[in-house]
Amino acid sequence: MRGAATPVRSGWVAALLLCTTAGASPFAYITNQGSHDVSVIDLASQQVVATVAVGRSPAGVVASGRAGRAFVSNPDSKTISVIDMRQQKVVSTLPAGDGPVGLDISGDGRQLYVADWYAGRLLVFDAHASGAAPPLASIPVGRAPAGVAAHTDEATVFVAERDDDSVAVIDTTARRVLARVRVGSHPFALLYDAARARLYALNVQSDDISVIDVRDTRRPAVVATVKVGKAPYGAALAQGGALLYVTNQRDDSVSVVDADSLRVLRTLPGFAYPEGIAAHAGRVYVVNWMDDNVQVLEAESGRKLQTIATGKNSRGFGAFIGAPADP
């Protein structure tokens, strides 16, 4: 399956967000839908240093330095694979409803949030659980929940309700929907911009980004709409948050947006169904589903620096860069 407009159990598309780092050298965890594994890239050497077998059709990923783990959603296996970031191996497999897709983790690394696409709910897990621990909570949301973004207050989570053209604001303490906001057509990925108290919702069907003011999480409001390429799917903040990079799946391009003015500065061509994207240390990493690779860009200029081969049908939907915290 290519694109979020036609979800089926045999595959999932991916993209989004920003990275976290800690004391050790960071790694990029790239989910490979076609080969059912994860390519682990050492960002110090810019090389794949491990290939980790996970569940079927892995899509979503979040790497948490505080948890010391990378979490991978396997929609066709209905599980989450938990990868130890020091050992680079799966140490736990969590049952995750009917079809887990997007996921994120609280800033303290304690709670994992997973969108269950088919069941219309947000699952909450103990991020340090072992074995096949069940979720701590199941919170009903709208239809086809996809992208998930955790607020830095560790009490709020945003969920893209794709088939409802809306974004839900979840109170994780009360475990209920606090508010909703209408966005463009078929929002899939979300990116939280803490510095600006904004949320970016990438709308794959209307080819734009809804910019949401979330200073008051009880009253989220769309304050701008940014037109980008066809089927925007993943986003990352680079250059200290000055630039917003967006992958456009069906244009085989990447849009570069000034995050302050929300003006599109340039459109970079030459990608192959780009999906996941993340930024670290002056570089941007773009995951190409069709070419089975990650392209490394210079963040300031967008110039291509390197191509890193990965597994089959690479997605990287989520915050796929992280480093284990110092012991």
Side-chain angles (χ1 to χ4, degrees):
M1 187 272 288
R2 291 176 53 187
T6 54
V8 294
R9 289 186 184 271
S10 62
W12 299 83
V13 283
L16 111 110
L17 303 182
L18 173 73
C19 69
T20 55
T21 57
S25 175
F27 298 93
Y29 294 84
I30 309 301
T31 54
N32 303 310
Q33 179 195 355
S35 48
H36 314 298
D37 54 27
V38 172
S39 297
V40 183
I41 301 171
D42 183 339
L43 298 195
S45 65
Q46 302 288 296
Q47 294 180 344
V48 174
V49 293
T51 300
V52 183
V54 290
R56 292 194 58 78
S57 307
V61 57
V62 61
S64 170
R66 291 201 173 183
R69 295 175 165 188
F71 301 87
V72 173
S73 65
N74 308 302
D76 289 356
S77 295
K78 305 179 182 180
T79 60
I80 302 296
S81 296
V82 183
I83 299 173
D84 183 282
M85 296 171 72
R86 294 189 181 278
Q87 303 177 69
Q88 307 300 4
K89 71 176 187 179
V90 173
V91 293
S92 183
T93 301
L94 307 174
D98 294 338
V101 190
L103 62 172
D104 202 2
I105 195 163
S106 59
D108 58 9
R110 297 177 62 183
Q111 292 198 324
L112 176 71
Y113 308 108
V114 179
D116 186 352
W117 176 283
Y118 289 107
R121 58 185 177 171
L122 179 73
L123 302 177
V124 182
F125 290 88
D126 178 349
H128 295 274
S130 58
L136 301 173
S138 173
I139 305 169
V141 293
R143 296 182 298 163
V148 179
H151 194 290
T152 51
D153 65 5
E154 297 175 6
T156 307
V157 174
F158 306 102
V159 178
E161 300 170 319
R162 198 203 71 157
D163 288 1
D164 290 335
D165 297 339
S166 61
V167 173
V169 182
I170 310 296
D171 181 329
T172 60
T173 302
R175 295 179 177 174
R176 65 180 182 87
V177 174
L178 185 69
R180 280 191 170 91
V181 58
R182 296 281 295 180
V183 292
S185 181
H186 282 192
F188 200 79
L190 298 176
L191 175 62
Y192 177 57
D193 183 345
R196 298 176 179 86
R198 284 180 186 165
L199 185 73
Y200 305 104
L202 278 65
N203 305 308
V204 297
Q205 201 166 73
S206 53
D207 305 329
D208 54 27
I209 301 170
S210 297
V211 182
I212 307 167
D213 183 335
V214 291
R215 286 176 293 179
D216 182 348
T217 54
R218 292 179 177 273
R219 296 176 179 82
V222 173
V223 293
T225 300
V226 181
K227 201 73 178 175
V228 287
K230 192 172 183 180
Y233 220 77
L237 287 162
Q239 285 296 97
L243 299 177
L244 177 66
Y245 273 74
V246 179
T247 57
N248 304 307
Q249 282 180 320
R250 296 181 183 175
D251 275 344
D252 295 334
S253 68
V254 172
S255 297
V256 184
V257 180
D258 183 297
D260 285 326
S261 68
L262 298 174
R263 180 172 60 93
V264 176
L265 301 175
R266 63 185 74 93
T267 300
L268 309 175
F271 300 90
Y273 210 71
E275 297 198 342
I277 187 167
H280 172 75
R283 293 182 176 183
V284 175
Y285 297 81
V286 180
V287 183
N288 290 286
W289 191 90
M290 290 294 289
D291 279 356
D292 305 335
N293 65 31
V294 171
Q295 287 179 306
V296 186
L297 313 180
E298 181 183 68
E300 184 176 11
S301 66
R303 179 171 59 94
K304 293 179 183 177
L305 301 174
Q306 186 176 352
T307 300
I308 304 170
T310 50
K312 186 176 180 181
N313 303 138
S314 301
R315 297 217 177 269
F317 177 41
F320 58 73
I321 294 176
D326 290 331

